[in-house]
């Protein structure tokens, strides 16, 4: 695995291996994160009080339908919201508050310590610049590698993500590559500085199933070898089951259930989680059988019902659900849910 440890690069220096391997360090602590967007119709809330903790090597899946706030929550932590976005709460990376941090200081964290893989590499990569130019620009900004060493480091990473003929690939433009190759370039770019946290936002949605499996395997292997933490944002529960130890289910900007992935998926405690799992295709589902769906749609941002946001779609809703919003409460030391039902029938 290519490494820039031991170079003059201060921004990318990591903990000594002995310390890292001795236990899990706390990397990220998010408290009461709120994201509002100013619109012509007033302020609308996209993320409403999200809390999470991440330690070295953790894998966390954020799941939910489109518009549930999972992407906006991480974009807010990294100061990447659209201009009409406003953030409250706290997101501390190794004790450093990211919310409200100056752009120059934030740039030293994102792209080096915390990096992101986006859903569509074609829009994330610059179509006018060769792959090599884009990789070297990341190293120029975040690492102090001399020219030749930087080039070799970029080539090594293209090879590490299993791209053939990496030296030649440096000379090619993104449009000359397949979707799977572009996504591997994005992964290489996000790992150049050996981040401690990798955020992957729907990293395989635009790819066909075979390429998806290859990217998933690659992410799993790289995460294990680099001991980085991973936040996977997806609506694909199968992807989360394959790679994440913990999962948080979001609905209408709030966490409605969280816990170890195996426990949550085997015994969901929230009707929304159960509904999402029921919609997953399974190998033994007869070809002609229609997949179930969750009736209705998530509420439009800013138009949440007064009580539980899921109530209009919930077959277990009762009177209390219509006027009282459920809080996220611990079920045991590792699981939590936001639902008035004591247990799912
Ligand atoms: Fe359904 Fe009520 Fe639970 Fe909301 S609080 S998920 S409406 S049972």
């Amino acid at each position: 695995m290519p490494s820039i440890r031991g170079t003059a690069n201060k921004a990318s220096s990591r903990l000594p291996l002995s310390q890292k391997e001795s236990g899990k360090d706390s990397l990220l602590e998010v408290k009461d994160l709120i994201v509002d967007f100013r619109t012509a119709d007033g302020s609308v809330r996209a993320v409403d009080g999200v809390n999470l903790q991440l330690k070295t090597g953790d894998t966390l899946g954020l799941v939910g339908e489109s518009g549930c706030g999972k992407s906006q929550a991480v974009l807010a932590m990294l100061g990447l919201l659209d201009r009409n976005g406003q953030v409250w709460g706290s997101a501390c990376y190794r004790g450093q508050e990211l919310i409200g941090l100056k752009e120059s200081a934030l740039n030293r964290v994102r792209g080096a310590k915390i990096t992101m893989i986006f859903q569509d590499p074609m829009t994330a990569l610059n179509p006018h610049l060769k792959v090599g130019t884009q990789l070297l620009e990341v190293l120029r900004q975040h690492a102090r590698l001399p020219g030749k060493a930087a080039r070799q480091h970029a080539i090594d990473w293209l090879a590490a993500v299993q791209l053939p003929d990496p030296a030649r690939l440096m000379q090619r433009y993104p449009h000359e590559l397949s979707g799977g190759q572009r996504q591997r370039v994005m992964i290489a770019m996000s790992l150049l500085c050996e981040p401690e946290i990798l955020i992957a936002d729907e990293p395989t949605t635009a790819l066909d199933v075979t390429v998806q499996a290859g990217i998933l395997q690659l992410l799993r292997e790289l995460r294990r070898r680099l001991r980085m933490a991973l936040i996977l944002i997806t609506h694909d529960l199968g992807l989360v089951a394959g790679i994440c130890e913990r999962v948080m289910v979001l609905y209408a900007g709030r966490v409605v259930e969280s816990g170890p992935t195996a426990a949550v998926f085997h015994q969901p405690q929230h009707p929304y989680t159960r509904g999402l799992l029921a919609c997953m295709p399974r190998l033994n589902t007869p070809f002609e059988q229609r997949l179930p769906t969750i009736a209705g749609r998530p509420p439009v941002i800013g138009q949440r019902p007064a009580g539980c946001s899921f109530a209009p779609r919930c077959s277990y809703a009762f009177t209390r659900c219509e006027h009282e919003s459920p809080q996220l409460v611990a079920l045991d030391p590792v699981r939590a849910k936001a639902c008035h039902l004591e247990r799912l029938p």
Side-chain angles (χ1 to χ4, degrees), residues 270-272 308-312 314-318 321 324 326 338-341:
H270 194 282
Y272 180 57
C308 172
S309 298
F310 190 58
C314 181
S315 47
Y316 305 101
F318 53 105
C321 308
E324 190 184 327
C339 175
H340 294 313
L341 278 181

Side-chain angles (χ1 to χ4, degrees), residues 13-247:
S13 65
R14 304 272 302 265
L15 286 169
L17 220 56
S18 55
Q19 190 181 341
K20 282 174 64 196
E21 284 173 351
S22 63
K24 286 190 163 193
D25 297 308
S26 179
L27 292 178
L28 185 68
E29 181 132 21
V30 176
K31 280 188 190 158
D32 302 326
L33 191 74
I34 290 174
V35 178
D36 284 351
F37 286 99
R38 288 182 303 270
T39 71
D41 298 324
S43 182
V44 294
R45 186 146 295 179
V47 177
D48 193 5
V50 166
N51 295 283
L52 67 86
Q53 293 87 34
L54 209 61
K55 292 183 175 173
T56 320
D58 278 358
T59 45
L60 173 67
L62 300 184
V63 302
E65 292 161 288
S66 299
C68 67
K70 49 195 192 303
S71 294
Q72 298 307 331
V74 297
L75 291 175
M77 292 174 213
L78 298 178
L80 294 172
L81 286 178
D82 283 345
R83 294 168 75 115
N84 62 339
Q86 290 178 297
V87 194
W88 287 272
S90 166
C92 278
Y93 162 73
R94 286 200 175 277
Q96 181 181 25
E97 181 58 71
L98 301 180
I99 307 297
L101 195 62
K102 274 188 180 166
E103 200 67 8
S104 54
L106 209 45
N107 276 337
R108 285 195 284 276
V109 175
R110 59 186 182 201
K113 304 290 189 187
I114 306 177
T115 58
M116 207 162 164
I117 304 172
F118 295 93
Q119 176 178 348
D120 182 0
M122 201 54 197
T123 53
L125 293 170
N126 187 330
H128 303 291
L129 296 177
K130 289 177 181 171
V131 164
T133 309
Q134 300 188 52
L135 294 177
L136 293 176
E137 176 59 18
V138 173
L139 286 170
R140 191 187 66 75
Q141 287 205 13
H142 297 291
R144 295 194 193 120
L145 287 181
K148 251 187 171 178
R151 185 178 148 72
Q152 189 54 52
H153 186 72
I155 290 173
D156 289 348
W157 263 111
L158 290 177
V161 297
Q162 296 154 20
L163 282 162
D165 203 353
R168 243 178 95 195
L169 199 83
M170 295 276 283
Q171 301 304 321
R172 298 175 72 184
Y173 289 92
H175 72 267
E176 297 178 281
L177 310 179
S178 70
Q181 287 175 324
R182 283 195 291 264
Q183 194 56 291
R184 283 173 193 265
V185 169
M186 273 295 299
I187 293 173
M189 188 181 283
S190 65
L191 297 179
L192 279 175
C193 297
E194 300 171 40
E196 291 192 301
I197 301 173
L198 176 67
I199 300 170
D201 190 355
E202 304 278 10
T204 59
T205 305
L207 306 174
D208 66 53
V209 176
T210 326
V211 183
Q212 267 186 24
I215 296 286
L216 179 62
Q217 179 56 31
L218 176 67
L219 279 177
R220 209 185 276 127
E221 175 67 10
L222 290 170
R223 192 203 65 76
R224 189 182 60 78
R225 291 174 68 176
L226 291 174
R227 284 203 81 223
M228 63 187 173
L230 174 74
I231 298 178
L232 178 64
I233 302 168
T234 182
H235 60 269
D236 184 343
L237 302 188
L239 204 57
V240 172
I243 202 167
C244 295
E245 289 155 5
R246 280 191 298 134
V247 64

